[in-house]
Amino acid sequence: MWFLSMAGVDNLDAKVRSSAKEQKTNLEISLVLDVSGSTGSNNRLVNLKVAAKEFVDILLADIEPDSVSISIIPFNSNTAPSPNLFNALNVDVIHNFTTCLDFTDTSFAKAALNPATQQNQAVFTSYYGGFQSPHLASSSCNDREYFQILPYASDVPTLHTKIDSLKAAGNTAGHIGMKWGLSLRDPVFQPVVDDLIDDGDVVPGLTRLPASYDDAETSKIVAMMSDGANTTEFRIGDQYDSGPSNLFEVSTGVLDAAGQPTKHFYLRSADELQYYSITDGVWITQTDYVNLNTTLAQFQGKRQMDWPEAWGQMSTSYYRNIMNDSGPSNDFLSGTARNGWEANPLMLDSCEAAANQGVTVYTIGFEMNPSAAETLRDCASTVSHFYDANGTQISEVFSAIATSILKLKLSS
């Protein structure tokens, strides 16, 4: 300009064009929520429900249709897929009581839960409880509807209803919750989403889900809240999870009050010389059992149950008390159960798999002591993606995470 000024040119126009706009990013979110028994104290679950619904409201306000999907993954001693989600997978079905899966240790290091690969169904039973009356808090799988995964929802009423239905029971198996939360974000689940759409569980507008990891228009998020350290994931080991059991079912033509055929159950002693009549509460001889076809009114038949079916009928403590055999109870509690020190590294494996695929992980320690919160802090994408919360402050934390997810992105 100094030289141009001598020619009478005092200024030049600079032709620059710039703009700022909000990216129309699709969001795929897994909301992984602790519903273990401890969340029922100190109003934790009450405060969580308020916070989670506000989180949903923020994320689904003024959005393009079907641009945001939220899956709710409750976890306690395990995590239960909904029946249609379970049926959309390739599962080696060994009983019809519950839908939980039994993941191998190595599977936690993978983001995907491949629906084409056969999965193991977790054997269902409980530590406490009687015959045909499992104790919810000590069971290996709580799959009542309010504990089941809600996959790929995109409307506020459905998500609010699910959140309001949550109840507190059981242990804390956060590694299972994180595994499911990440699996629902993996693109290998696209055939599963198609099946869920066919079943009417997911709206047709979400047929593109889950998007590819390299889809520039999609952000994948896992937001996990826990109120305590991982404890025990109850499991039955190889000795008691397959093959013929000691439980026998005897069918008759006598109808019960509901008009159904009456069934009698018998536990056979280890020496096979006696049978315990669960119906009558007495031991009978082998001869008496063999002769039931002539002594039991309207006798129709007998069958020996396999262990997975037998455990669905009785708790391990019930079996121990009748049979004087602590083997199954010991196995269920500690022999093959995953305790917290085993669960923590598996959860971190899943968090590392999330990082490798570009999935952003937020974690919340809700009224946790510092040592228990360490695993959640390590699981988060960065230190700033981990939050502490106490009391009603949980709402502020969820709102902050929702705002972070929706932050304005500028491009030029």
Side-chain angles (χ1 to χ4, degrees), residues 248-323:
F248 293 75
E249 177 189 87
V250 178
S251 301
T252 75
V254 178
L255 301 182
D256 61 19
Q260 299 299 314
T262 300
K263 295 181 179 180
H264 298 257
F265 296 89
Y266 295 83
L267 276 168
R268 187 178 62 189
S269 63
D271 61 11
E272 303 185 8
L273 296 179
Q274 296 185 85
Y275 289 76
Y276 180 77
S277 170
I278 293 171
T279 302
D280 299 325
V282 296
W283 286 95
I284 64 174
T285 67
Q286 181 186 51
T287 300
D288 288 338
Y289 177 79
V290 170
N291 291 332
L292 284 175
N293 61 325
T294 60
T295 60
L296 190 62
Q298 298 186 45
F299 172 89
Q300 291 186 336
K302 306 174 184 176
R303 70 183 185 92
Q304 184 177 13
M305 294 183 174
D306 284 340
W307 279 117
E309 186 182 5
W311 289 129
Q313 301 287 349
M314 60 186 174
S315 70
T316 61
S317 292
Y318 180 87
Y319 182 85
R320 178 196 62 205
N321 295 338
I322 300 300
M323 303 292 289

Side-chain angles (χ1 to χ4, degrees), residues 106-141:
T106 57
S107 68
F108 289 89
K110 302 174 183 177
L113 196 173
N114 193 331
T117 301
Q118 189 172 77
Q119 305 296 324
N120 295 322
Q121 185 181 20
V123 174
F124 170 71
T125 192
S126 62
Y127 181 71
Y128 295 112
F131 192 80
Q132 296 180 335
S133 57
H135 187 273
L136 191 63
S138 67
S139 72
S140 56
C141 179

Side-chain angles (χ1 to χ4, degrees), residues 120-357:
N120 295 322
Q121 185 181 20
V123 174
F124 170 71
T125 192
S126 62
Y127 181 71
Y128 295 112
F131 192 80
Q132 296 180 335
S133 57
H135 187 273
L136 191 63
S138 67
S139 72
S140 56
C141 179
N142 300 328
D143 78 339
R144 296 184 183 180
E145 188 172 1
Y146 44 82
F147 288 126
Q148 293 172 8
I149 294 171
L150 172 68
Y152 310 109
S154 58
D155 67 285
V156 170
T158 298
L159 288 158
H160 277 203
T161 298
K162 178 62 180 181
I163 292 166
D164 281 333
S165 75
L166 297 175
K167 298 183 185 297
N171 286 351
T172 307
H175 59 302
I176 304 291
M178 179 56 69
K179 171 64 181 174
W180 273 107
L182 184 56
S183 295
L184 266 67
R185 304 277 63 83
D186 193 276
V188 77
F189 249 40
Q190 286 180 352
V192 174
V193 174
D194 290 340
D195 284 349
L196 294 174
I197 290 173
D198 290 342
D199 292 332
D201 290 351
V202 175
V203 297
L206 298 179
T207 187
R208 60 180 173 76
L209 297 184
S212 171
Y213 286 120
D214 58 7
D215 185 337
E217 295 184 357
T218 300
S219 294
K220 294 175 182 282
I221 311 292
V222 175
M224 178 183 186
M225 184 288 300
S226 182
D227 80 332
N230 289 322
T231 53
T232 305
E233 174 199 354
F234 294 120
R235 302 162 82 207
I236 282 283
D238 294 343
Q239 185 176 353
Y240 304 102
D241 72 348
S242 62
S245 73
N246 295 337
L247 184 65
F248 293 75
E249 177 189 87
V250 178
S251 301
T252 75
V254 178
L255 301 182
D256 61 19
Q260 299 299 314
T262 300
K263 295 181 179 180
H264 298 257
F265 296 89
Y266 295 83
L267 276 168
R268 187 178 62 189
S269 63
D271 61 11
E272 303 185 8
L273 296 179
Q274 296 185 85
Y275 289 76
Y276 180 77
S277 170
I278 293 171
T279 302
D280 299 325
V282 296
W283 286 95
I284 64 174
T285 67
Q286 181 186 51
T287 300
D288 288 338
Y289 177 79
V290 170
N291 291 332
L292 284 175
N293 61 325
T294 60
T295 60
L296 190 62
Q298 298 186 45
F299 172 89
Q300 291 186 336
K302 306 174 184 176
R303 70 183 185 92
Q304 184 177 13
M305 294 183 174
D306 284 340
W307 279 117
E309 186 182 5
W311 289 129
Q313 301 287 349
M314 60 186 174
S315 70
T316 61
S317 292
Y318 180 87
Y319 182 85
R320 178 196 62 205
N321 295 338
I322 300 300
M323 303 292 289
N324 195 28
D325 180 2
S326 298
S329 283
N330 293 339
D331 183 70
F332 188 62
L333 284 181
S334 58
T336 53
R338 285 193 181 108
N339 296 315
W341 64 271
E342 295 171 306
N344 288 343
L346 298 180
M347 191 168 99
L348 292 176
D349 284 346
S350 288
C351 296
E352 183 176 354
N356 291 338
Q357 298 293 2

